Amino acid sequence: MMPQPPAALADVRALTFDVFGTVVDWRSSVIRESEALGERLGMTVDWAAFADAWRGGYAPAMDRVRHGELPWTRLDDLHRMTLDRLLEEFGISDALDEAERERFNRVWHRLDPWPDSVTGLARLRERYVLATLSNGNVSLLVNMAKRAGLPWDCVLSAELAGHYKRDPEVYQMAARLLDQPPERVLMVAAHQDDLQAAHREGFRTAFVRRPLEHGPDATPDLSVDPIFDLVADDFDDLADRLGLPGGPRS
Amino acid sequence: MMPQPPAALADVRALTFDVFGTVVDWRSSVIRESEALGERLGMTVDWAAFADAWRGGYAPAMDRVRHGELPWTRLDDLHRMTLDRLLEEFGISDALDEAERERFNRVWHRLDPWPDSVTGLARLRERYVLATLSNGNVSLLVNMAKRAGLPWDCVLSAELAGHYKRDPEVYQMAARLLDQPPERVLMVAAHQDDLQAAHREGFRTAFVRRPLEHGPDATPDLSVDPIFDLVADDFDDLADRLGLPGGPRS
């Protein structure tokens, strides 16, 4: 008998994925490329602190869009605003010309997947439509997928809604474009608030724990909200729990 | 030496594809599935005429949206309006209940690619970002790609612009989402007017001749507008002309 998903998830047809932290390891990737840049340009910087500060600028920058302080601005451009500020704060503003800044800013297009992402997605894709549902802009997500071999059926982005997660419009846009009632869409994320927002729009939810997202010394909140329909340790575990064949443990 | 594209196309980074007729053979696919349905339900109908009439309802239905007579309506729903009318006109309205109509209407999600489409796209994908740019709605294009194995990097649709081709907004939306100036995007289509509209927005253009789109007895206009940057006989020929390795003729 073909393995089956849990009964509550039997009608799910599409999976939507948070990307930064859930599918890709942004922190290690940004640190590694920053270190190489620093070496090439002869800069001595705490690149882990730099990466964390860059990512730390993300939520406040989106809030400026959300509250109307900025018009709709793509994540690439929010990243660039934060980058320019951090180069000043870290005292290395003179070291990078415009071309270097543009190239460095696109490190967010070149993030490496977690070790289980590509194999897990390949298994999940056998049964489900797989779509990103990320705050990254479309071109960022397309470039990332092409480089990393992420087998999306469809690249969906906050950019298409003109709203950033966790605004409800983003989830509603995804269900509408996938032509599925929200209860047939499973949101997959490593962040509780993303899943809670999806749940409020009627999505099913799967929490994938990524304890290393913020580095080996961080102690992220990995607590499980009882509303979550599924909890998994990685994408192969997620595929196992959805009853898909072909896993390393099956 | 790695083969090169023609000089005028050296800066192209992304290819956008018309889908119906250019990538998939809608007519044979619709006729074949219609015949099977007719046999199952005991209907005697000229299914080639039915398929041509169904496709023939496409432009007038889009014009109703374009002229504001209808609000934005997805292609699935335009197809369904045309289907309901044709079932009356062909005298078979009583034979199909609601569930059969819904299933039949989604034959447009189950179209077969031309024989060269999958292999040609795989070669083109080695160098370029490949995106649909179709009037089909996102879910239609995703279902079609999944079934047929079309290796898109990105599914772009008129649905995302709220405008149907050949409205300029559709091409502008594609360049914006791909984050490329239009002259770095090559529109690929079997229809001159699609390429002419893309050209007006600054795209490069490749005409792929599909003499069988309207069946073996049709005599479609295959004339070449001098504005076209490239003319090809199929997707393998297109890959050859763009200097990509790995073709059956290379």
Side-chain angles (χ1 to χ4, degrees), chain B residues 5-250:
Chain B
L9 301 177
D11 291 334
V12 165
R13 293 291 174 273
L15 273 52
T16 51
F17 290 80
D18 173 61
V19 172
F20 300 112
T22 301
V23 180
V24 296
D25 176 7
W26 58 266
R27 189 173 187 271
S28 300
S29 304
V30 171
I31 292 174
R32 194 186 53 251
E33 206 175 298
S34 301
E35 284 174 346
L37 178 73
E39 203 160 314
R40 183 161 59 79
L41 299 182
M43 297 182 289
T44 309
V45 170
D46 178 349
W47 289 115
F50 192 94
D52 289 334
W54 204 352
R55 181 67 176 172
Y58 168 74
M62 287 192 302
D63 278 341
R64 293 179 62 193
V65 174
R66 191 173 288 119
H67 300 142
E69 190 187 329
L70 286 175
W72 175 256
T73 306
R74 291 180 314 170
L75 189 61
D76 272 347
D77 298 318
L78 296 179
H79 276 149
R80 177 60 196 270
M81 290 162 55
T82 305
L83 173 63
D84 287 343
R85 177 172 58 76
L86 290 177
L87 292 176
E88 292 283 349
E89 289 178 17
F90 279 73
I92 50 175
S93 190
D94 293 343
L96 277 81
D97 64 15
E98 175 58 29
E100 289 280 8
R101 284 173 194 229
E102 265 309 294
R103 206 190 118 65
F104 191 25
N105 194 52
R106 287 164 66 98
V107 65
W108 297 94
H109 298 217
R110 296 184 293 269
L111 305 179
D112 291 328
W114 296 108
D116 52 277
S117 292
V118 173
T119 54
L121 290 173
R123 292 175 62 202
L124 294 163
R125 197 183 189 196
E126 293 295 312
R127 187 192 291 153
Y128 302 107
V129 168
L130 305 188
T132 59
L133 189 54
S134 167
N135 283 331
N137 39 283
V138 170
S139 61
L140 179 158
L141 295 168
V142 167
N143 290 339
M144 177 196 287
K146 214 165 164 75
R147 177 181 171 280
L150 302 169
W152 305 122
D153 292 304
C154 187
V155 171
L156 299 181
S157 159
E159 186 180 16
L160 301 177
H163 282 269
Y164 279 115
K165 294 190 294 186
R166 292 43 175 152
D167 286 357
E169 289 86 350
V170 186
Y171 308 95
Q172 294 163 359
M173 171 272 297
R176 189 177 66 247
L177 292 177
L178 295 170
D179 195 23
Q180 294 292 345
E183 65 271 19
R184 294 193 169 205
V185 185
L186 178 67
M187 181 76 205
V188 181
H191 311 116
Q192 290 93 339
D193 60 342
D194 198 352
L195 297 175
Q196 287 154 349
H199 175 78
R200 283 193 293 274
E201 302 314 311
F203 282 47
R204 299 288 180 262
T205 55
F207 181 48
V208 177
R209 290 195 186 92
R210 295 297 192 189
L212 296 176
E213 175 180 0
H214 296 279
D217 302 326
T219 53
D221 177 9
L222 300 175
S223 64
V224 171
D225 187 320
I227 64 158
F228 298 159
D229 295 290
L230 215 58
V231 179
D233 288 323
D234 59 33
F235 285 3
D236 271 309
D237 188 34
L238 177 64
D240 288 346
R241 289 173 189 271
L242 286 167
L244 283 152
R249 287 177 283 260
S250 72

